[in-house]
Amino acid sequence: MKSAQAPSAEPLSKARLRVWLKLLKSVNGIETEIRRNLREEHGTTLPRFDVMSALARFPDGLKMSDLSSYLKVSNGNVTGIVDKLTEEGLALRVAVPGDRRAQVARLTAKGRAAFEDLAQHHEDWINTLLEGLSAGNVDALSAHLDSILDRQMEED
Amino acid sequence: MKSAQAPSAEPLSKARLRVWLKLLKSVNGIETEIRRNLREEHGTTLPRFDVMSALARFPDGLKMSDLSSYLKVSNGNVTGIVDKLTEEGLALRVAVPGDRRAQVARLTAKGRAAFEDLAQHHEDWINTLLEGLSAGNVDALSAHLDSILDRQMEED
DNA sequence: TCTAAATATTTTAAGCTTGAAATTTTAGGG
DNA sequence: CCCTAAAATTTCAAGCTTAAAATATTTAGA
């Protein structure tokens, strides 16, 4: 007895490769535009925005190591970015009582205000860039991404 | 008379922002794994793979400027990468007859062989990373990405 | 022919990113 | 108490990336 599925002209691995390239192109296009907006309209960068965004979610601050694992970047990376934000008065480091190795990074009031402004514009940019997606499209796309993300959870 | 659409607890812009973050997470997760495989198993990097991949598609070679616009990166960027590939005997620059400003970058035989090996592994890695997507999922996801990409075409 | 603008590429400075090494501090076993 | 391992962070070297400046060449117009 034959297989239930029709023979495909293209193996599934090729179709997956093709959709991967399309995924990459979509994300890179949006990311390039966001970086351009951040630079030209706000004189900042995406890594800085990402760090500020993480710190905004944790008003009590985040240990440097928690910040880097949250953002999935190296420890050394966040060191430099927090250094710069601190020089500009947007963030600060606070000693952790009871552990002199650790420090917690926090946004200053100025940093919070700057982030609120950036975040609103960021949402607007994304809303425009994803104009082609209806509410239904968003849900369907989200479900497909979940099946990719599920696999990533497993491997750690 | 009331609007046909039910009031949503969450505005569409928030839903789009959420799916954008998920898109980013999916792509970054896959990309990190590909970079790790390229580094640990083949001693190379994604930018080098991308350049080799572009050159492999154009056996007669690509002008440096065509290469950078094809890859959507800066001119200066490909200069450095082609320099390194050339030092290693994987690529070479050929003068363009009739225009002494321009040069065409090409893969050497060694470069083509190296790329074939990388490309096969790359397809395998993607096939595994996207294991969660059936053929039908791939097509549906692809359609959604098209509606994002369509918009990117417009703005140039 | 001369020359200004356009084109192709490389160079440069600044910032991002990583993995690995170095530093400081803490924790635990003897 | 001592000493080794683990943990938190920073420093470092190397590579990627960009925008802008510099260089070289070609094109087109006066």
Side-chain angles (χ1 to χ4, degrees), chain A residues 39 63 65 75 79 93 101-103:
Chain A
R39 175 168 38 81
K63 279 200 310 183
S65 49
N75 280 343
T79 294
R93 285 180 169 90
R101 293 168 303 178
Q103 299 193 83

Side-chain angles (χ1 to χ4, degrees), chain A residues 57-103:
Chain A
R57 265 176 229 248
F58 295 89
D60 295 339
L62 272 176
K63 279 200 310 183
M64 294 300 284
S65 49
D66 290 339
L67 180 54
S68 60
S69 66
Y70 181 77
L71 293 174
K72 305 263 187 62
V73 298
S74 65
N75 280 343
N77 190 351
V78 294
T79 294
I81 296 171
V82 171
D83 280 352
K84 294 252 178 69
L85 293 175
T86 298
E87 286 168 17
E88 296 169 30
L90 299 170
L92 48 81
R93 285 180 169 90
V94 180
V96 171
D99 188 344
R100 278 184 295 182
R101 293 168 303 178
Q103 299 193 83

Side-chain angles (χ1 to χ4, degrees), chain B residues 110-121:
Chain B
K110 180 179 170 191
R112 271 192 302 281
F115 175 71
E116 289 310 321
D117 182 48
L118 290 176
Q120 182 56 61
H121 283 96

Side-chain angles (χ1 to χ4, degrees), chain A residues 4-17:
Chain A
Q5 57 193 5
S8 165
E10 181 185 62
L12 182 50
S13 71
K14 294 285 185 194
R16 283 175 173 149
L17 183 55

Side-chain angles (χ1 to χ4, degrees), chain B residues 25 106 133:
Chain B
K25 195 172 183 179
R106 300 186 48 153
L133 296 179

Side-chain angles (χ1 to χ4, degrees), chain A residues 99-118:
Chain A
D99 188 344
R100 278 184 295 182
R101 293 168 303 178
Q103 299 193 83
V104 156
R106 299 188 49 154
L107 287 184
T108 61
K110 180 179 169 191
R112 270 192 303 280
F115 176 71
E116 289 310 322
D117 182 48
L118 289 175

Side-chain angles (χ1 to χ4, degrees), chain B residues 4-81:
Chain B
Q5 57 193 8
S8 165
E10 180 186 62
L12 183 51
S13 71
K14 293 284 186 197
R16 284 175 173 148
L17 184 53
R18 198 181 303 278
V19 83
W20 162 243
L21 295 176
K22 202 175 269 194
L23 208 38
L24 205 48
K25 195 172 183 179
S26 306
V27 166
N28 285 342
I30 293 172
E31 202 171 283
T32 296
E33 183 68 9
I34 298 297
R35 286 180 197 272
R36 198 183 59 73
N37 286 338
L38 284 172
R39 176 168 39 80
E40 296 183 356
E41 296 178 18
H42 300 271
T44 191
T45 66
L46 190 51
R48 289 165 55 103
F49 176 75
D50 288 342
V51 166
M52 292 177 78
S53 176
L55 296 183
R57 265 176 229 247
F58 295 89
D60 295 339
L62 272 176
K63 279 201 312 182
M64 294 300 285
S65 50
D66 291 338
L67 180 54
S68 62
S69 65
Y70 180 77
L71 293 174
K72 305 264 187 61
V73 298
S74 65
N75 280 342
N77 190 349
V78 293
T79 293
I81 296 171

